[in-house]
Amino acid sequence: MSDKEEQDQSMNDGPSKPAMREALVAAAFELFLERGFEQTTIDDIVSLAGVGRRSFFRYFPAKEDVVFPDHERSLAEMTEFLESGSGEEDPVRHACDAARLVLRMYAEQPSFSVQRYRLTRKVPGLRAYELSVVWRYEHTLAAYLRGRFADRPDGPLRADVIAAAVVSAHNHALRTWLRSGGESDWVAEVDAAMGFVTGTWSDRPAEAAEGESDDVVVLVASRRAPLWRMVRGIESALGTDARQV
């Protein structure tokens, strides 16, 4: 595709942008699995996807970024979720719930997530890149917890330790699920992992289980609304903790 053709397409590609982005990811992984990550060039990817180089760099700064195409969105959703708290909720539980969003992102595309896991195990450069992504999640959680523990003498230390614990527990649940080929119960895995963190670090006792109710709740939400926002709506309607939804 010539630069002129690509420029003409870019002027009219509003609705097709997600499709182009997905096409680049699909082409990249097809080549990575066939040839190997190091042996695949960006030119190879755009050729298979049927677009120009400028289209690739419009979505991905480097070849490594195409392996982790969903983390920017996931990090933004985590940040928004953390900031959405009222300030009255248990900060440790809130941080754990934020981590659940990340594992849910992986679970939305199990085949892709398992392929990526297997690929990153083989490529040292991708493992290093993945660690930098994990650090950003941990940094975001620590920043939130530092704000919540600002009035404690040990606030900064507590925030950093708990953030690291949340990320480690999340990664344990994620790896368990990925090693199963995406077949195990990821909800049970992350519940157990986050339960360990809250049981260890939360200052608030677990809420007593309440009796079952026959109430019916109908939630109306935009299809584009993030899942955590819908869960928050259910929690508000029930007046309880709906993390298991």
Side-chain angles (χ1 to χ4, degrees):
M1 180 181 292
S2 69
D3 287 346
K4 179 61 168 60
E5 291 172 329
E6 189 173 346
Q7 182 177 6
D8 291 342
Q9 177 177 329
S10 68
M11 296 174 63
N12 301 289
D13 68 353
S16 66
K17 282 183 178 180
M20 183 183 293
R21 190 172 186 275
E22 291 171 4
L24 286 166
V25 173
F29 267 80
E30 180 178 335
L31 292 170
F32 293 158
L33 295 174
E34 176 185 327
R35 304 179 184 179
F37 179 81
E38 301 292 353
Q39 291 70 34
T40 299
T41 67
I42 291 175
D43 286 334
D44 294 333
I45 295 170
V46 298
S47 176
L48 183 58
V51 301
R53 284 177 61 87
R54 290 200 307 179
S55 291
F56 182 93
F57 290 111
R58 189 179 302 136
Y59 300 105
F60 306 107
K63 187 171 67 170
E64 289 79 5
D65 293 283
V66 78
V67 181
F68 305 94
D70 36 22
H71 279 293
E72 289 299 327
R73 171 180 63 87
S74 181
L75 186 63
E77 288 188 357
M78 169 189 273
T79 302
E80 184 181 1
F81 177 81
L82 290 170
E83 293 174 349
S84 73
S86 65
E88 299 299 323
E89 66 281 333
D90 177 0
V92 179
R93 293 181 185 277
H94 197 58
C96 286
D97 286 346
R100 292 169 189 268
L101 298 178
V102 183
L103 210 155
R104 184 176 286 115
M105 175 268 291
Y106 280 91
E108 287 174 353
Q109 296 181 295
S111 296
F112 176 74
S113 295
V114 171
Q115 283 184 345
R116 173 167 58 192
Y117 173 72
R118 292 171 178 169
L119 179 64
T120 56
R121 296 312 91 193
K122 298 177 182 177
V123 183
L126 289 179
R127 289 202 297 274
Y129 185 97
E130 187 176 36
L131 288 174
S132 72
V133 173
V134 171
W135 180 86
R136 293 178 67 193
Y137 285 117
E138 184 174 331
H139 179 75
T140 300
L141 290 168
Y144 160 75
L145 291 168
R146 280 172 176 259
R148 293 298 306 274
F149 297 143
D151 59 343
R152 300 181 60 137
D154 64 348
L157 174 61
R158 177 173 288 268
D160 289 351
V161 170
I162 294 175
V166 171
V167 169
S168 294
H170 167 274
N171 289 345
H172 173 82
L174 175 61
R175 284 192 297 268
T176 300
W177 177 72
L178 289 171
R179 287 168 182 162
S180 76
E183 296 295 329
S184 66
D185 185 347
W186 71 268
V187 175
E189 299 289 355
V190 74
D191 282 350
M194 295 302 109
F196 178 79
V197 174
T198 55
T200 303
W201 290 105
S202 176
D203 290 333
R204 304 183 189 180
E207 297 177 2
E210 299 182 5
E212 296 183 357
S213 170
D214 293 330
D215 292 344
V216 175
V217 175
V218 177
L219 175 68
V220 179
S222 167
R223 178 176 296 181
R224 295 187 180 90
L227 185 57
W228 69 261
R229 193 184 298 280
M230 290 185 266
V231 172
R232 179 63 58 76
I234 296 172
E235 289 180 347
S236 177
L238 295 177
T240 187
D241 187 339
R243 279 190 290 275
Q244 302 299 325
V245 174

